[in-house]
Amino acid sequence: MGAEKYFSYPCRRCGACCRNVRLIDELRYLDRGDGVCRHLTEKNLCGIYEHRPDMCNGRYVYENGYAHMPVEDFHQMIAVLCDDIRRRELEKLFEEVPHAR
């Protein structure tokens, strides 16, 4: 049902999801020990993009679990998750920075 209408999520390519695989149960096995995916390159790109895990492939995730909803709604759900991961990342960063006096 969803395959013919799926279109790619407008990813910002910020790498937040790849820097926080520990937050995603299905991707924890990719954690290099610090929460970062072992395949994230210095250029903030996936080093195995053509062979990435199914959970990293929006089309796969949509077609195998969310095809009952419009693609736009699926993308909105992903955007909320993405924003949450980025918010957590920023909160952690601010906790680590000494406060100005």
Side-chain angles (χ1 to χ4, degrees):
M1 173 179 165
E4 68 279 358
K5 65 178 181 174
Y6 184 81
F7 55 92
S8 294
Y9 175 73
C11 179
R12 297 176 186 135
R13 290 181 174 76
C14 68
C17 57
C18 301
R19 287 189 304 274
N20 292 281
V21 293
R22 71 185 179 285
L23 300 176
I24 305 164
D25 290 341
E26 297 87 353
L27 299 178
R28 285 189 181 151
Y29 75 97
L30 295 171
D31 188 339
R32 67 181 188 193
D34 58 357
V36 177
C37 177
R38 63 180 174 228
H39 301 293
L40 185 65
T41 69
E42 290 180 13
K43 293 184 178 184
N44 225 29
L45 299 172
C46 180
I48 59 164
Y49 185 79
E50 294 301 320
H51 305 287
R52 66 195 182 276
D54 291 338
M55 283 301 297
C56 298
N57 183 324
R59 178 181 298 275
Y60 176 88
V61 173
Y62 176 74
E63 292 174 357
N64 290 281
Y66 297 91
H68 63 279
M69 66 171 51
V71 177
E72 293 85 357
D73 292 352
F74 173 70
H75 286 175
Q76 181 59 38
M77 182 182 72
I78 297 302
V80 168
L81 294 171
C82 178
D83 289 345
D84 183 56
I85 290 171
R86 292 177 25 185
R87 179 188 51 77
R88 289 180 189 210
E89 193 173 54
L90 284 173
E91 287 173 354
K92 182 181 175 190
L93 181 66
F94 281 117
E95 288 174 2
E96 295 171 358
V97 175
H99 297 283
R101 296 184 192 249

